[in-house]
Amino acid sequence: MQLGMIGLGRMGGNIVRRLMTQGHTTVVYDKDPKAVAALVADNATGSSSLEDFVLKLEAPRTAWVMLPAGKITEATIEALSKLMQPGDVIIDGGNTFWQDDVRRGKALRERGLHYVDVGTSGGIWGIERGYCMMIGGDKKVVDRLDPIFKTLAPGIGDIPRTSGREGRDPRIEQGYIHAGPIGAGHFVKMIHNGIEYGLMQAYAEGFDILKNANIEALPAEHRFDLDIADIAEVWRRGSVIPSWLLDLTASALAQNHTLDNYSGFVEDSGEGRWTVNAAVDEAVPAEVLTAALYTRFRSRKDHTFAEKILSAMRAGFGGHKEPPKKA
């Protein structure tokens, strides 16, 4: 199946590569010609402009936009929609606010175009591990694109099957879900990332307590000089709190147990704020997720070891770099 990809960064480029290893064909575009050339070297069809990109797609066209949420995605989709024909599909696979999806879907439907929102989790490791996808859109369109999603998904792997799921949608066990109509995919991904904030914060605070277990303020008999790198590793093996986030933490600590290669300045990319706003709209108490978001705000003024743990996890799964230190 053919797919067009706009945006060849950390995730867009690897999505293209994963598709091509399974026999799909791709047309790619990025404002950076070097990014296009790198994919062309891997057998993608390159394009020099949006117009050229659309011309090289076969009808009905499918164009996946993988750009940072906000103005650049908005402008790209608007420009792309003017070049595409009725029946074509535009996919937004970035971390877009779900209400923007609903608005866009309505506007594109009036032009005869289909819109699909795909919340995509997998970070820089997705090319090997696959991508967990939360998809919103019309059922017929999503079903038609299933070969793309099935290829990108992780598959069952070695995760034990859940008892009682017999007769349910088999795609779920493969690592992707048609969550509902337009907007539902990014709504589910938004909550996923909000939970991610809370999980990361729990690990970060726990390791900070472990690190400070030998401070002089404690009575001598109550002090422990703990090897937190080893503790992270042992928790990965048979405890009730293992996760990929813990794997990344253990790896970072094994390489540098002080994490002094991180400042602890922790960005938030939007989904945590949107999750808290959704909780307010629904009158749902979300104390943990809200506190985790506010901690990221505080980290930009006062850094602790816990924030270094957060930075290490973000670098591990998404390649997120801390902003440069101010002089």
Side-chain angles (χ1 to χ4, degrees), residues 204-221:
E205 292 177 8
F207 281 106
D208 206 1
I209 295 169
L210 292 170
K211 178 180 179 294
N212 286 283
N214 64 345
I215 61 173
E216 292 184 1
L218 296 171
E221 64 271 23

Side-chain angles (χ1 to χ4, degrees), residues 73-309:
T73 293
E74 192 76 33
T76 300
I77 290 177
E78 176 62 22
L80 185 62
S81 68
K82 294 177 179 178
L83 299 170
M84 298 182 82
Q85 301 296 319
D88 292 347
V89 181
I90 296 177
I91 299 172
D92 182 357
N95 286 323
T96 289
F97 183 42
W98 64 274
Q99 291 183 13
D100 290 335
D101 291 316
V102 174
R103 170 180 52 78
R104 284 184 198 147
K106 182 179 179 181
L108 293 176
R109 187 178 296 115
E110 293 173 353
R111 304 181 193 179
L113 300 175
H114 301 294
Y115 182 84
V116 175
D117 56 289
V118 180
T120 312
S121 181
I124 58 177
W125 300 95
I127 188 172
E128 300 172 3
R129 294 167 58 103
Y131 300 89
C132 176
M133 291 167 290
M134 295 135 270
I135 306 163
D138 295 339
K139 184 179 185 303
K140 287 184 179 180
V141 178
V142 174
D143 288 349
R144 178 164 66 82
L145 297 174
D146 189 73
I148 294 292
F149 301 134
K150 186 174 183 179
T151 298
L152 293 176
I156 292 177
D158 58 1
I159 298 174
R161 304 188 77 166
T162 301
S163 177
R165 285 202 55 87
E166 295 78 12
R168 289 177 173 267
D169 187 343
R171 294 176 295 183
I172 312 305
E173 289 186 320
Q174 298 292 327
Y176 64 112
I177 181 174
H178 182 201
I182 292 172
H186 277 142
F187 185 88
V188 175
K189 178 57 161 53
M190 173 185 76
I191 303 304
H192 165 283
N193 283 27
I195 293 171
E196 179 185 291
Y197 279 38
L199 290 173
M200 293 173 70
Q201 188 62 32
Y203 283 126
E205 292 177 8
F207 281 106
D208 206 1
I209 295 169
L210 292 170
K211 178 180 179 294
N212 286 283
N214 64 345
I215 61 173
E216 292 184 1
L218 296 171
E221 64 271 23
H222 292 174
R223 298 177 199 165
F224 302 105
D225 187 11
L226 302 171
D227 189 321
I228 57 175
D230 283 355
I231 292 169
E233 184 63 31
V234 77
W235 282 349
R236 297 180 61 223
R237 318 236 170 222
S239 83
V240 298
I241 60 167
S243 71
W244 187 23
L245 292 172
L246 182 59
D247 294 346
L248 297 170
T249 301
S251 177
L253 289 170
Q255 295 174 47
N256 182 351
H257 73 278
T258 66
L259 298 185
D260 55 13
N261 50 325
Y262 295 99
S263 72
F265 187 110
V266 187
E267 291 279 14
D268 69 288
S269 52
E271 299 90 337
R273 301 186 191 209
W274 301 336
T275 298
V276 171
N277 289 339
V280 171
D281 290 342
E282 299 169 13
V284 172
E287 297 95 333
V288 171
L289 306 190
T290 302
L293 174 64
Y294 287 160
T295 298
R296 294 197 176 197
F297 297 161
R298 183 195 51 72
S299 78
R300 296 160 205 172
K301 297 182 179 180
D302 180 26
H303 314 317
T304 68
F305 186 75
E307 273 80 64
K308 292 183 179 183
I309 291 281

Side-chain angles (χ1 to χ4, degrees), residues 39-85:
L39 268 299
V40 169
D42 290 333
N43 292 322
T45 298
S47 54
S48 57
S49 65
L50 280 181
E51 291 81 2
D52 185 36
F53 171 82
V54 172
L55 285 173
K56 290 178 177 176
L57 290 173
E58 302 165 0
R61 303 165 186 82
T62 302
W64 184 311
V65 179
M66 201 65 175
L67 297 169
K71 293 182 179 179
I72 185 171
T73 293
E74 192 76 33
T76 300
I77 290 177
E78 176 62 22
L80 185 62
S81 68
K82 294 177 179 178
L83 299 170
M84 298 182 82
Q85 301 296 319

